[in-house]
Amino acid sequence: MKKLFIVLLAFSIGPFALAQETVQKPKVPVGGRPNIPADLVVEFGFNVLNNRPEDMSTGFFGSRTLNIYYQYPISVFGANSGFTLDPGFGIGTDKLAFNDEMNLFNDPSNGPESSDFLELTDVFGDDISVDKNVFSLNYFEIPLDLTYHVNRNNYTKGFRVSVGGKVGFLYNAHSKIKYTDEDGLTRKIKDSQNYGLEKLRYGLTLKAGSPGFYAWSYFGLNRLFQEGQGPAANQSQQISFGIAVNLF
């Protein structure tokens, strides 16, 4: 009888102890994302030039973009309004892969902060084999989004859509060219200049998706080049789009 009492007592205490252990365990956030009240996002995508000169076309897959932003959501219009204002900061890196083995070079006749659009053979010689030809722009950026969360009770779940904008400050622009000359020697050239580019860019953004994954687009509102400093009175504006992953 004593043994039976001990067995029954063990069965009675066991579930209670298990329940206590379950309650004390920290909850794992949905999707394995840390429950931190901010967003660290990585955006991947592609760049195209709008209003560009006819000969300034770019290859789609080579013209890539990578943005990394830290944004902090602030509730607006009330605690359960579904709206947040998301200011932040980060970096934006864009690549332009020009077609027909052409790239930007300084235009001495127009000053040190200017550029012309030339064929690589006009600069490095006719008998070359081009292995790499890309132009890169790098910015410090300040994004600001107004986001509506469909799930107004829990902003970490459900669909959401954002409209906003960003301002970027150009801190580096360079061309990177790799070619083999007529003697079989491989040359790698990285040329950092201003190229007559606008030092400030700004535009509108549109984003839609879940808290962990979304699609995005950017529409530049100002010209890529300063007035009279780019090739062929250039009026190019940047458009970018892609997908993003929210790390936390």
Side-chain angles (χ1 to χ4, degrees):
M1 192 69 168
K2 185 177 179 180
K3 291 182 179 179
L4 180 60
F5 176 76
I6 293 173
V7 171
L8 291 175
L9 184 62
F11 273 101
S12 300
I13 295 175
F16 177 76
L18 183 60
Q20 288 292 99
E21 183 182 351
T22 302
V23 170
Q24 292 173 2
K25 275 188 176 181
K27 293 182 179 180
V28 177
V30 177
R33 297 170 61 238
N35 189 19
I36 299 174
D39 292 329
L40 179 63
V41 298
V42 180
E43 296 181 346
F44 308 90
F46 301 96
N47 300 303
V48 295
L49 295 179
N50 190 32
N51 296 326
R52 60 173 175 78
E54 186 177 352
D55 63 345
M56 205 171 179
S57 61
T58 56
F60 179 76
F61 291 105
S63 299
R64 300 183 297 273
T65 187
L66 173 66
N67 306 317
I68 302 175
Y69 301 134
Y70 178 86
Q71 293 183 264
Y72 191 91
I74 302 170
S75 293
V76 292
F77 310 131
N80 294 319
S81 66
F83 286 94
T84 58
L85 192 64
D86 308 329
F89 62 90
I91 58 172
T93 62
D94 299 316
K95 293 184 183 300
L96 297 173
F98 295 114
N99 291 326
D100 302 322
E101 296 184 353
M102 301 185 71
N103 211 321
L104 294 169
F105 296 89
N106 176 248
D107 182 6
S109 64
N110 203 25
E113 289 200 1
S114 64
S115 62
D116 200 358
F117 196 55
L118 303 174
E119 292 187 23
L120 301 189
T121 53
D122 291 341
V123 179
F124 303 115
D126 293 329
D127 298 324
I128 63 172
S129 175
V130 179
D131 303 309
K132 184 174 185 177
N133 179 36
V134 69
F135 189 80
S136 299
L137 304 100
N138 302 281
Y139 295 87
F140 292 118
E141 297 200 305
I142 300 175
L144 178 64
D145 298 319
L146 178 64
T147 303
Y148 177 70
H149 306 259
V150 173
N151 189 337
R152 294 188 293 177
N153 296 317
N154 188 345
Y155 292 172
T156 65
K157 296 181 180 180
F159 183 82
R160 61 186 184 181
V161 60
S162 303
V163 293
K166 66 178 181 178
V167 176
F169 304 89
L170 182 69
Y171 69 87
N172 176 265
H174 65 266
S175 62
K176 188 177 289 186
I177 299 168
K178 179 181 177 182
Y179 69 92
T180 303
D181 65 16
E182 59 184 353
D183 298 321
L185 297 176
T186 298
R187 312 280 187 178
K188 297 179 182 179
I189 299 173
K190 180 179 178 180
D191 188 9
S192 297
Q193 296 187 45
N194 176 261
Y195 292 97
L197 296 162
E198 288 283 1
K199 294 179 174 63
L200 180 73
R201 74 171 178 183
Y202 51 89
L204 303 176
T205 57
L206 176 63
K207 306 172 185 178
S210 70
F213 180 85
Y214 62 85
W216 65 273
S217 57
Y218 166 77
F219 305 91
L221 295 179
N222 66 323
R223 292 190 300 266
L224 189 64
F225 294 91
Q226 300 174 43
E227 184 71 31
Q229 298 298 300
N234 206 289
Q235 303 291 316
S236 299
Q237 295 170 293
Q238 186 178 345
I239 297 175
S240 304
F241 53 89
I243 58 175
V245 176
N246 193 340
L247 301 181
F248 63 73

